[in-house]
Amino acid sequence: MSTGVPPRRARWPRPLLAGALAVAALTAAPSADGTPADAAPVDEATVHRVTTAADTARTETPVSSASPVAGITETQVSLRIPLPASAGSHPARCDRLSYLRYRSADGPSQSAGADRILVAQPGILEGAGAFDSVARNTVRAAADRGEHIEFWALDRRSNCLEDNAGVATGSVSRAVGYYYEGQKVDGRAFDDFLTSDQVGWLGEVGLEQTVRDQYDLLTAELPDQRLRKEKVLCGGHSLGGVLTGVFSTWDFDGNSATKADAGFNQCAGYFALDTTIAVDLGDLQGGSGTLDGGLLPRGTVPETGLGYTVVQAGLRSGALPRFLALPAVINPEIMNLLAISGLAARTAPGAESTLQGSLPANPNIETTTRTMFSKNAAVFLSGKPTIRDFRLTNEAVLGAFMDDNAAPLSFIQTSVGLFDGGRLADKDFPVSNDVQGSPALFGTELKAIPDEPGGPLYTWRDFDRIGAPDDPVHRSADGTPFTTAAKEVSDIGELARSLSEQPLDFTEDYFPTKLVTDLSLVDDARIARHMAHPEGPTARPVITFVAGDGILADRVPADKNPVVLPGYQHLDVLTAAPVQNGGGRERIATLLSAFGRR
């Protein structure tokens, strides 16, 4: 069986890379019908998730949830909106778009009857399931005032490539068996994680396709443009704020003189969740000039300095990867492991984890766990002790990978509590606690790690138990508490549920490279000509939320008049608990639902 590790991308010298891409530009031009020259027929054996209603224009399926937020009806909506022929050969199920629809259980069954409809674009490497908590909290807050709003969490086109069948069994052992041991689910075996050469069509899915998908979905679900302009609030999280900004400027009928089709005329207002409504990456890049080394580790995003033509040729030929991935930490296998970790924490939160021992010791998993769970550089280099040498509950494993006091990368950080049950030490890898790191890349909080391999069972102290009478108050070497109640806002049980319960995944395992390179090249005439309405981002009222400890913490965009949320991390704007420490209601839910009313 394959290890599932994406092929290691060669570090070519810039002149050599430029030459290779120039050759690609000459050999990978589209054919007469617009199909990429490298497109090959898709082997349907690589199609993981079978769409049983492939020819049904629209389906809506109830979603069962254990969420403590009552009175919310959730459904998964799927519409057949085919890709254009120019995308090339692709799996049949990728001709569908899906979203999670949240509404008041006692509200109107038809979306057109809702008071407002919030439509959310996910961030980078993010799927519809990530919005579960903020959607439920916001719909509930409005319902408590007698208003009925809906929240639509969009799933981008590339999510069609994921195979969630193992996680969907609700059993950790069956999930591990499915993904790693050849066991079948519903008569199907897992076909391994996809590689860039298997998804040539994804090299055509960039900015134009993404905003067109949102427009086509909105017009299919809400055919009356006047209703959309009156009731729809467009927004997103992280990169989703930039996509919303671009959407607002887009001209969808090719005639800039007619404005009913303009993106901003599909929205009554905008909302930004730890982002801004903008048309470039400026607010997300962390001062690095690019997402590469800003929000994402260096080497994740290809260089775009060679220009649109050469970059696009590289994507078509395969000289550039068609989806974002690194040999470890960020790739489809690791995104999938987050879901499995969430499943374990949801089904047996306080049980001692067996996940570390049941997963294969392949280079991808081993390097990732060493990166995420090394006390310092010496431990990382030696490989001892590893996470397998510690006794951890399932919740503690999930916390190690996603809590802001443990996870090294800010874009996956939440404030869900802290390790407990044994001695903790400063986690000084990959950045030392003594060094002020970049909030956009590493976050703002002190990092902690269990320090007794083979010792006690490390448990997890949830967000609402930080500062409780029995809290031992774990401290850094300089005596500073690793965390306080004011810094904790999300429930680890709810995070686990969002990661593993939703039919549309929390993560986006195959995020299209072209979507980020297009945004970096947004001034190129082939993109800019579609952005015919520059007034779009300011044409409607905006509410901007900024996580006080998130990726914008060191450069809060004061000109956006933001609501700054103390203690929140980048993902907390999506995962925060409905009732916060101190007893107050979660502020995004309260303010966003009120913004919808205005």
Side-chain angles (χ1 to χ4, degrees), residues 23 26 46 102 106-107 111 172 237 239 257 266 274 339-340 376 423 427 429 467 472 487 537 562 573 583 586:
V23 171
L26 298 175
T46 68
Y102 298 85
D106 58 353
S111 297
V172 175
H237 172 240
L239 191 72
Q266 318 311 310
D274 207 31
I340 298 176
N376 50 43
R423 186 176 67 244
K427 184 180 187 300
F429 183 84
K487 292 281 191 177
V573 297
E586 201 280 316

Side-chain angles (χ1 to χ4, degrees), residues 160-428:
C160 68
L161 295 171
E162 297 169 2
D163 182 355
N164 299 324
V167 174
T169 65
S171 163
V172 175
S173 61
R174 290 190 68 192
V176 172
Y178 179 68
Y179 295 115
Y180 293 104
E181 298 170 359
Q183 296 177 18
K184 294 183 177 181
V185 170
D186 296 331
R188 272 192 307 126
F190 181 54
D191 294 318
D192 214 338
F193 299 99
L194 299 175
T195 54
S196 179
D197 62 302
Q198 294 175 288
V199 292
W201 66 276
L202 209 58
E204 305 297 318
V205 178
L207 197 53
E208 181 175 2
Q209 188 63 55
T210 299
V211 296
R212 170 66 66 176
D213 283 347
Q214 180 170 346
Y215 179 80
D216 287 348
L217 186 147
L218 281 173
T219 56
E221 291 290 80
L222 301 167
D224 185 345
Q225 184 267 332
R226 291 172 299 178
L227 183 145
R228 297 195 297 274
K229 184 177 178 181
E230 175 188 346
K231 291 191 175 185
V232 171
L233 302 182
C234 303
H237 172 240
S238 191
L239 191 72
V242 181
L243 294 176
T244 299
V246 172
F247 176 85
S248 75
T249 71
W250 211 265
D251 186 79
F252 288 98
D253 70 355
N255 181 358
S256 60
T258 60
K259 294 193 176 184
D261 64 290
F264 70 88
N265 274 325
Q266 318 311 310
C267 314
Y270 310 126
F271 61 96
L273 302 172
D274 207 31
T275 183
T276 58
I277 304 301
V279 295
D280 59 51
L281 297 169
D283 288 329
L284 299 180
Q285 60 194 19
S288 68
T290 172
L291 291 182
D292 199 52
L295 183 63
L296 297 171
R298 192 168 301 282
T300 310
V301 182
E303 292 183 18
T304 57
L306 296 173
Y308 182 91
T309 298
V310 175
V311 169
Q312 186 58 36
L315 291 170
R316 285 176 173 160
S317 69
L320 293 178
R322 277 85 173 233
F323 58 85
L324 298 188
L326 294 174
V329 183
I330 297 176
N331 55 60
E333 181 178 34
I334 300 305
M335 296 295 115
N336 194 61
L337 283 179
L338 289 179
I340 298 176
S341 297
L343 177 60
R346 173 166 67 92
T347 55
E352 184 168 355
S353 175
T354 60
L355 189 58
Q356 306 97 289
S358 61
L359 294 173
N362 68 41
N364 183 22
I365 293 176
E366 291 302 294
T367 302
T368 298
T369 55
R370 284 168 66 177
T371 300
M372 304 292 275
F373 203 80
S374 287
K375 179 179 177 180
N376 50 43
V379 171
F380 176 79
L381 293 172
S382 69
K384 287 293 182 180
T386 72
I387 193 172
R388 299 172 192 265
D389 296 315
F390 291 82
R391 299 178 60 215
L392 305 165
T393 64
N394 288 319
E395 281 188 334
V397 171
L398 180 58
F401 281 87
M402 295 191 71
D403 183 66
D404 60 336
N405 296 113
L409 296 176
S410 65
F411 77 93
I412 60 170
Q413 289 178 358
T414 55
S415 303
V416 289
L418 189 66
F419 297 108
D420 206 358
R423 186 176 67 244
L424 303 185
D426 287 81
K427 184 180 187 300
D428 290 322

